[in-house]
Amino acid sequence: QVFLFHSYFLNLLLLMDGLEYSLQYSNFYDSVFDNKYKLENEEDVEQFLEDVNNLKQLAVISNEINNNKGVNNMENKKIPTPKEMVKELDKRIYANENLKKKLTTAIYRKLITMEMNKGQSKDILDTPNILICGGTGTSKTYSVKCIADMLNIPVYTINASQLTPSSYKGTGINDELYYIVSEGGYNESEPSIIFLDEIDKLACFSNDAKEVGKLVMGELLKLVEGKGETNLSANMGGRQVPFTLNLDNVIFIFAGAFDGIVDIVKKRLGEDKKKSVGFGVGMASDKKVEGKKDYYQLITKDDLNKYGLTPEFLGRTTFAVTDSMTEDMLMNIIEKENSALDKSIQLFKYFDKKLSFSKECKEAICKKAIASGYGARSLNDIFFSITDKILFDISEYTEEDIIVDESFLD
């Protein structure tokens, strides 16, 4: 019986997050082994059980107090201003000034609006959600994650291209939300970001696929317009599982590359008959700057509507656009600490080698990344390819210095 109490008491202490509570009642734990509870008669057993019950109540109360402390800390914590957030982002992300300003301002607006609406019977202010337009590898996801880290807000990512309407076979948005809510550590009383990537894939051009995309956008619209504790239902193996989600504390951020949208912009500007010149297709052609004109910066909501996003969905979002990925931007990225280049250099310290890259090689790497159509995302693959060649022949490198030139890209 004493052993059982020993285990039970330790579990109760784990419930009490505050150290002061654990210390305050630790003498009760010691008394068991000081023979206060000999458990030799009925009175001892009754006293023992009464004290255990009291301790359990104290543990529950202390846990509630600490939970409330956490909420109050969140409410009272100073939210960095957009300018302060941009200053931090500048240390991690080169250029993309438009994206950084719009994204930080939109998230800042959402957070202060959440605080103002909290406890009100009717929302004081409306809160538009956020749509990011930009080619692959232009820091859409990374920007969101950096801001979330800054604000200590969790980010949950959903691939929108895989979503199907609730009445169709497949995974619906409610199913994805159920996975998030059922995860350990999800706290609906505090702000969180639900990041839906590849939202542009819902705006397909074939008639059947376009209808499916519109149905999914309609379901997303109901969520972004939702308020407070919302009753939802997930399809788990053919069984409907009800759950609730507090939509007041959710920041929805949508993002997509919108390949081909530049053609829509050019047509609106009367420039669609111009012959395009550049690397490859997709992002490389869309994101190319012709005559220093960045067509992505000229995107309007009307262009997005023509691309396939519904007017109702667009009406509930404010959108930001990434910069075109240029060689200068990529050069800045690889020169930063903890970049793919930096990690490559660190790797060869294991062999007591000094790895370095020629200027011409770094320029060639940036050109190759642009030509790939994957922007910054392709940098890791390029550096892996280079370092794999060196690792394979590492025994043949007898000198301390290893200089990487353009020939390693062949």
Side-chain angles (χ1 to χ4, degrees):
Q1 287 174 304
V2 171
F3 173 76
L4 288 174
F5 173 76
H6 171 75
S7 301
Y8 184 63
F9 183 83
L10 290 178
N11 285 329
L12 288 176
L13 286 185
L14 291 175
L15 286 173
M16 296 189 283
D17 297 330
L19 180 62
E20 65 273 22
Y21 295 101
S22 302
L23 295 175
Q24 185 176 350
Y25 298 104
S26 62
N27 61 332
F28 179 46
Y29 169 77
D30 293 336
S31 66
V32 176
F33 297 97
D34 289 340
N35 296 318
K36 176 181 176 181
Y37 296 104
K38 297 183 183 298
L39 306 179
E40 293 177 346
N41 53 54
E42 188 175 342
E43 289 183 1
D44 285 347
V45 173
E46 287 179 357
Q47 183 62 50
F48 173 80
L49 293 175
E50 182 182 347
D51 287 347
V52 167
N53 187 55
N54 289 337
L55 182 61
K56 182 179 178 181
Q57 292 178 12
L58 287 168
V60 171
I61 292 170
S62 67
N63 196 38
E64 289 177 355
I65 290 172
N66 284 310
N67 284 340
N68 289 333
K69 281 182 178 180
V71 172
N72 290 335
N73 284 341
M74 185 64 205
E75 290 175 352
N76 295 328
K77 185 170 65 176
K78 180 182 180 294
I79 303 171
T81 65
K83 187 171 285 188
E84 291 170 337
M85 286 189 268
V86 168
K87 188 176 180 180
E88 286 300 313
L89 285 177
D90 287 341
K91 299 175 183 177
R92 310 184 197 184
I93 300 170
Y94 178 71
N96 264 323
E97 299 306 318
N98 178 292
L99 175 67
K100 286 186 279 193
K101 288 179 181 179
K102 283 205 166 186
L103 191 55
T104 54
T105 304
I107 291 176
Y108 184 70
R109 178 194 290 271
K110 290 284 289 186
L111 291 174
I112 61 176
T113 303
M114 284 177 184
E115 291 298 316
M116 293 180 70
N117 289 339
K118 194 171 291 183
Q120 303 293 327
S121 58
K122 185 178 180 181
D123 286 353
I124 300 172
L125 296 171
D126 196 12
T127 56
N129 296 278
I130 305 159
L131 172 65
I132 306 174
C133 308
T136 302
T138 52
S139 301
K140 297 187 299 294
T141 305
Y142 185 57
S143 298
V144 172
K145 288 184 176 179
C146 286
I147 295 173
D149 288 344
M150 231 181 288
L151 300 171
N152 196 26
I153 295 176
V155 179
Y156 302 94
T157 302
I158 297 174
N159 186 338
S161 68
Q162 304 298 318
L163 296 178
T164 59
S166 57
S167 58
Y168 284 53
K169 184 178 180 180
T171 303
I173 181 60
N174 285 359
D175 304 336
E176 293 285 1
L177 293 176
Y178 176 75
Y179 293 135
I180 292 171
V181 171
S182 59
E183 280 184 3
Y186 180 78
N187 185 353
E188 67 171 18
S189 66
E190 295 188 0
S192 61
I193 293 173
I194 295 180
F195 182 75
L196 288 102
D197 200 8
E198 298 195 36
I199 194 70
D200 55 312
K201 302 303 187 292
L202 297 179
C204 299
F205 295 107
S206 64
N207 291 331
D208 291 341
K210 183 177 288 189
E211 188 59 33
V212 170
K214 284 184 177 180
L215 289 172
V216 174
M217 277 187 271
E219 293 181 358
L220 292 174
L221 185 63
K222 290 179 182 178
L223 289 171
V224 300
E225 289 180 338
K227 305 291 181 185
E229 288 286 342
T230 303
N231 294 319
L232 302 170
S233 179
N235 187 349
M236 296 288 109
R239 183 170 58 92
Q240 292 298 313
V241 179
F243 68 101
T244 60
L245 178 64
N246 185 359
L247 295 173
D248 285 346
N249 293 326
V250 175
I251 302 172
F252 286 101
I253 299 179
F254 307 95
F258 294 90
D259 290 333
I261 197 169
V262 165
D263 294 334
I264 296 174
V265 176
K266 287 181 179 180
K267 186 174 182 179
R268 173 169 56 82
L269 298 175
E271 301 176 12
D272 53 313
K273 293 182 180 179
K274 288 184 178 180
K275 185 178 178 181
S276 61
V277 180
F279 298 102
V281 293
M283 187 206 79
S285 60
D286 279 357
K287 296 293 288 177
K288 173 176 54 59
V289 182
E290 294 184 10
K292 297 186 178 180
K293 182 181 288 187
D294 184 352
Y295 286 97
Y296 262 65
Q297 298 296 328
L298 303 176
I299 292 173
T300 66
K301 282 195 174 183
D302 187 52
D303 296 325
L304 293 168
N305 178 223
K306 285 185 172 70
Y307 191 88
L309 297 184
T310 63
E312 296 81 7
F313 180 80
L314 289 168
R316 293 292 297 163
T317 61
T318 178
F319 78 98
V321 182
T322 65
D323 287 347
S324 298
M325 186 57 66
T326 65
E327 291 177 26
D328 286 343
M329 290 173 66
L330 288 172
M331 184 65 75
N332 186 276
I333 289 171
I334 65 175
E335 294 286 5
K336 284 186 179 293
E337 185 179 354
N338 208 34
S339 66
L341 183 148
D342 184 52
K343 289 176 181 177
S344 299
I345 294 172
Q346 297 300 322
L347 172 65
F348 285 91
K349 288 183 178 181
Y350 176 84
F351 304 99
D352 295 322
K353 303 292 184 184
K354 292 182 180 179
L355 190 71
S356 61
F357 292 76
S358 69
K359 180 182 176 182
E360 292 75 18
C361 180
K362 288 188 283 187
E363 290 173 350
I365 289 171
C366 294
K367 287 179 180 178
K368 187 172 183 178
I370 291 289
S372 73
Y374 292 100
R377 285 188 179 178
S378 64
L379 290 174
N380 278 336
D381 285 341
I382 295 172
F383 279 99
F384 284 150
S385 176
I386 293 171
T387 53
D388 282 351
K389 291 176 183 177
I390 302 172
L391 285 172
F392 186 81
D393 296 321
I394 190 65
S395 60
E396 298 179 14
Y397 289 92
T398 56
E399 300 294 326
E400 181 182 4
D401 293 313
I402 301 175
I403 300 174
V404 181
D405 57 28
E406 294 172 88
S407 64
F408 283 84
L409 290 170
D410 297 333

